[in-house]
Structures are given as structure tokens and as C-alpha cells.
Amino acid sequence: MGESLFAEPLLWLIVGAEIGFWVFLLAGLGARYVLRRRGLGAVLLLGVPLMDLVLVTASTVDLATGGAPSRVHGLAALYLGITVAFGHPLVRWADVRGAHRFAGGPAPVRPPRGGVARTRYEWREYGKVVAAWVVTAAVLLLLSVAGGRAFPAPGAWPEDPMWSWLATASLAAGIWFVVGPLWATVFPGSGDREHTGVR
């Protein structure tokens, strides 16, 4: 199974997209803050979402031209969901730290430790999880349509080669909900008014 999985060109495209994400991110921040070339930095940072576009296009074309649906296609959908939901906040997180380290920008704001501010922060973070789930489902639906496949019922997701990834994402989202926003809502703790959270 391992050999057949790694024989999939799409899997290597996912690996390349992840590498490309970090290359464009670090090169963009380096150009912006180390070389002081903000225009070049902005252009390089545009390569980050370009990786997602390449991946979804390749996955769709593969299925539309007769490729057999596989776990790799589902992994591509999950990867896209995660990068769309968490990619921009990660770029912003790195940008704030790059500006602070190399351009005299303000220090990064730490997440609140408790109280209402912590609860709001946890719900905002969980919103990204929901966004990742929705994007993953939308990409899987697109891939199913491209491959001429029917939309499987939720009960059939664990057995489906592509949709099993959404079942995994649903379980992860449920666990995150319990240990994140639900826990912070039920047990908010004492607030640290200094820290208003990272938006």
C-alpha cells in the first residue's frame, strides 16, 4: 500500500505544494524585510495561494480525464481546506514577527490566557477549523463531479477512498470543539486583560 501511495504523482504534487508554500513565504518575507524590497516581497507572497490553485487544478483534471478516485485525491482536498483556512493567518503571523524582528515593528500580541477574551479567541480559531472543513467538502464535491461520481451519504464516508478524509476531518473538528471553544466557554478561567488576542 505504501508503494502504491507514493507512486501517485498527485501525492508528490501535494508535497511540492507544501514545500512551495514555505519557499514562497520565506522568500517573500525575506525580500520584504531583509532586502527591503516590498514590491518583490508582495509578488513572492502571491505564490502561496498559487500553490493551492495548481493543486486543485491538477486534482480536477486528473479525475476529469479518467483518473481513478483515490485517497490521494481526498488528501489533496483536505490539504487545500487547511491551507485556505489557515494559510493567510499563518502568513500574517509570520509577517508580524518578520516586521518586529527586521523592521522595528510592534511586538506580536500573545493570545489571551483566560476570561471572555480567551473564549472569543478560541471561537475565532475554531471558525478556521469550520472553514477548513467546508472548503475540504467543497473541493471533494468538485472532484466528485469532475470524476462523474455520486455524492456519498455521510455514513459511507469512512469507506470511500476520497471522502474518508472528510470523516477524519469531522472527528478532528469535533475533538477541537471540545478542547477549544467548548472548554473555554464552560471553564473560562480568569482573564488577562492585557492580551486582547491575535486577530
Side-chain angles (χ1 to χ4, degrees), residues 35-135:
L35 302 179
R36 309 291 188 196
R37 299 185 61 185
R38 296 188 66 83
L40 176 61
V43 170
L44 289 169
L45 288 173
L46 285 176
V48 171
L50 181 63
M51 294 291 95
D52 295 341
L53 182 60
V54 169
L55 185 56
V56 73
T57 301
S59 302
T60 304
V61 169
D62 183 48
L63 289 176
T65 55
S70 69
R71 286 183 57 80
V72 177
H73 292 96
L75 177 61
L78 179 62
Y79 175 82
L80 286 163
I82 292 171
T83 56
V84 168
F86 290 92
H88 181 67
L90 178 59
V91 170
R92 189 169 59 234
W93 178 90
D95 189 46
V96 168
R97 281 149 184 81
H100 175 62
R101 174 69 177 83
F102 298 108
V109 179
R110 291 181 297 168
R113 296 177 181 175
V116 176
R118 179 68 187 188
T119 303
R120 282 197 300 260
Y121 171 80
E122 290 295 343
W123 279 105
R124 279 198 307 271
E125 290 299 297
Y126 189 69
K128 299 173 189 173
V129 177
V130 173
W133 191 96
V134 169
V135 172

Side-chain angles (χ1 to χ4, degrees), residues 142-192:
L142 171 67
L143 295 178
S144 295
V145 170
R149 302 182 70 233
F151 177 82
W157 290 354
E159 306 303 322
D160 188 278
M162 286 199 317
W163 288 81
S164 60
W165 286 104
L166 193 61
T168 302
S170 300
L171 177 62
I175 294 172
W176 190 316
F177 174 76
V178 172
V179 302
L182 180 61
W183 185 269
T185 300
V186 177
F187 305 105
S190 58
D192 185 348

